[in-house]
Amino acid sequence: MITFLTGILLGILLATAGVLAFDIFGEEVSYTLVPNVVIAISAVIALYIHQSSVKHQKEEREWDIRKDILIQLSATLAHLTEETRKLCENSYADMSQIPEEQHRDIDFSHLKSFSKKLIECLHAYRPLLSTDLISALEAYKVRDREIENSVDIGEYNHAEAYEELITEQENLQLLISNQIKKFANL
């Protein structure tokens, strides 16, 4: 805003200097033309301010629409990542033959909650979300199935699969965070 005001003041100073230069060097300047030029410049500035206001209002509406969806998706993914970390730790504990009593408790409701949010985003909220986010969600869903199939055929053990899932979840979380920053104008 300060640069905009500085530009306006500089423009007024240059316009005044131009009028004075014409006057000093003997050119005929009609002083009835000056108010018309000032009015025209003011109209252009008012148009710019109006367009900036309309753009800002549009961005605010887009953020209001997407805010709940993105924040809920981010929160459920954060909970899922934490539970996946616990599963990974428990898998390593099993491989180290640590007793079951020392395993961390897992809340599988976060998996169900994230799966529900993922389906909602891919189907119900699809028109409201960016194509980058939709592509990332679809890629995550495919990668999740690939990792699950790799465990089934023996390519990965459970701990390796959970580590791979954590990486995928962190990448998706980063993308969602960037989308939130973009739409919230942070």
Side-chain angles (χ1 to χ4, degrees):
M1 187 67 173
I2 292 175
T3 56
F4 180 69
L5 291 175
T6 305
I8 289 174
L9 289 175
L10 186 61
I12 291 171
L13 288 174
L14 288 175
T16 304
V19 168
L20 289 175
F22 275 117
D23 196 31
I24 291 173
F25 293 113
E27 294 292 325
E28 196 70 30
V29 176
S30 170
Y31 287 102
T32 58
L33 178 66
V34 173
N36 291 335
V37 170
V38 170
I39 290 171
I41 291 171
S42 298
V44 169
I45 292 169
L47 178 65
Y48 173 76
I49 291 171
H50 175 71
Q51 291 298 328
S52 295
S53 174
V54 168
K55 180 182 176 193
H56 180 69
Q57 289 172 356
K58 180 182 177 194
E59 290 171 352
E60 285 293 318
R61 284 191 309 271
E62 287 176 350
W63 169 239
D64 285 339
I65 290 169
R66 293 179 174 123
K67 175 174 48 179
D68 291 336
I69 301 164
L70 291 173
I71 290 175
Q72 289 174 4
L73 181 64
S74 179
T76 56
L77 181 59
H79 291 299
L80 177 65
T81 304
E82 183 60 30
E83 296 305 314
T84 307
R85 279 193 177 92
K86 290 178 189 177
L87 284 167
C88 186
E89 290 172 12
N90 288 349
S91 292
Y92 280 122
D94 285 342
M95 290 174 15
S96 301
Q97 298 177 347
I98 294 176
E100 283 280 327
E101 302 85 42
Q102 295 180 3
H103 287 175
R104 295 179 69 183
D105 291 333
I106 308 298
D107 184 2
F108 289 102
S109 68
H110 294 296
L111 175 61
K112 191 174 187 178
S113 176
F114 180 74
S115 296
K116 181 181 173 186
K117 275 291 168 209
L118 184 64
I119 290 169
E120 287 174 359
C121 288
L122 289 176
H123 299 289
Y125 299 132
R126 185 181 207 104
L128 302 174
L129 300 175
S130 70
T131 55
D132 293 341
L133 182 58
I134 294 296
S135 298
L137 292 172
E138 288 172 338
Y140 174 81
K141 192 174 177 181
V142 168
R143 186 67 183 128
D144 183 40
R145 265 191 245 121
E146 288 173 354
I147 292 170
E148 190 176 318
N149 290 338
S150 295
V151 170
D152 290 342
I153 62 172
E155 280 183 30
Y156 287 147
N157 63 33
H158 287 284
E160 292 170 334
Y162 292 136
E163 284 180 354
E164 189 72 26
L165 266 176
I166 290 169
T167 302
E168 294 296 323
Q169 291 165 353
E170 288 173 343
N171 291 338
L172 185 58
Q173 185 71 40
L174 181 63
L175 180 74
I176 294 169
S177 296
N178 288 336
Q179 291 283 306
I180 290 172
K181 287 177 189 175
K182 175 184 169 188
F183 291 120
N185 292 324
L186 299 177

